[in-house]
Amino acid sequence: MTSSSPLAAAVREVLRDAADPALAPGQQAYMKSAMPFLGVRVPDVRRLTREAARGVADADELRDAALGLWRAAEYREERYAAQALMALRPLRGRLDMLDVHEEMVRTGAWWDHVDEVAHRLADLLDAHPAELAVELRVWADDEDFWIRRVAIIAQLQRKGATDRALLADAIEPNIADREFFIRKAIGWALRDFARTDPEWVRAFVDAHPALSPLSRREALKHLG
């Protein structure tokens, strides 16, 4: 779990080779990032990371490289690459990787990193629904609002597999929160599920008059 991982070193090298210094200032400004950028677009980061990791099937090796990139990152793309490694098949849906995802939320503490972790939590819900539901209910009441945000949006795009009770339990402790990223997450989660079960979303909104105007507007955006 150190920055000396050979795979982490290989990823750093390909990212630096692909850097475009002309892009970097705009990326940093858009993301309001204290950490500088190399100037590599996110789809290219993911592609280059997958290519560097091709043939690596050992979960521990991938985890070590991801943590090495994340913890020793000098450029934001290195953290994007760490998250790309966590999305690879040997690590997807593994409950023993939850601590890595949690670390990335707590130390990443911005929407780009947090929202990427939400995809990994969806994988975990598919693989370990009962166990992860317990964890997400705890996260929904955490002091860290980024942890609460990811608990709220963890079921995005799960459609018919969405656990309605879990979605409600993630949202309800946060309805009174005035943090923008929480209010937006609530609206986003409800709007996404409205494509699958519009009546459930309408009923949920009607039953919770304390929802913020932002959350309510986003939830009902496509329902008329």
Side-chain angles (χ1 to χ4, degrees), residues 8-223:
V11 171
R12 287 192 193 91
E13 182 176 354
V14 297
L15 291 177
R16 280 157 176 74
D17 288 345
D20 182 350
L23 286 178
Q27 290 176 307
Q28 186 173 359
Y30 173 75
M31 203 52 65
K32 300 179 181 178
S33 173
M35 186 179 290
F37 278 75
L38 284 164
V40 185
R41 300 183 191 280
V42 173
D44 293 328
V45 172
R46 292 171 178 160
R47 175 180 57 81
L48 292 166
T49 302
R50 288 194 300 268
E51 290 173 357
R54 187 174 292 138
V56 179
D58 183 78
D60 289 339
E61 184 177 353
L62 291 170
R63 180 180 186 272
D64 287 355
L67 284 171
L69 285 164
W70 184 269
R71 292 173 178 173
E74 298 177 13
Y75 297 94
R76 203 170 188 92
E77 287 95 339
E78 292 169 342
R79 287 194 157 182
Y80 293 154
Q83 294 193 290
L85 290 176
M86 294 301 296
L88 295 178
R89 186 176 298 277
L91 299 185
R92 283 206 312 267
R94 287 188 52 150
L95 201 58
D96 59 346
M97 298 296 154
L98 184 59
D99 62 330
V100 180
H101 300 309
E102 181 176 358
E103 177 177 336
M104 288 179 172
V105 174
R106 292 190 187 278
T107 59
W110 196 239
W111 64 265
D112 53 343
H113 296 314
V114 172
D115 294 1
E116 179 64 21
V117 169
H119 297 300
R120 306 288 73 79
L121 297 183
D123 296 336
L124 279 166
L125 276 167
D126 290 340
H128 305 280
E131 296 91 335
L132 198 68
V134 171
E135 293 292 337
L136 291 180
R137 285 182 167 92
V138 174
W139 285 20
D141 201 33
D142 196 270
E143 291 183 359
D144 185 337
F145 76 81
W146 292 112
I147 289 286
R148 288 186 276 122
R149 176 181 169 90
V150 82
I152 293 166
I153 63 172
Q155 297 200 78
L156 289 174
Q157 300 177 14
R158 296 194 76 228
K159 299 181 180 179
T162 299
D163 181 335
R164 292 161 175 79
L166 176 59
L167 180 59
D169 288 347
I171 291 173
E172 286 170 346
N174 293 286
I175 283 177
D177 197 296
R178 307 315 298 167
E179 167 59 49
F180 169 80
F181 285 104
I182 291 295
R183 290 182 288 139
K184 188 74 171 179
I186 291 171
W188 185 14
L190 291 171
R191 184 182 76 234
D192 180 77
F193 189 49
R195 297 187 179 96
T196 299
D197 193 341
E199 294 310 314
W200 187 92
V201 171
R202 284 194 183 97
F204 184 90
V205 170
D206 289 345
H208 295 83
L211 280 168
S212 73
L214 171 60
S215 298
R216 182 179 299 271
R217 183 171 63 252
E218 288 292 309
L220 301 176
K221 190 171 184 177
H222 302 300
L223 295 185

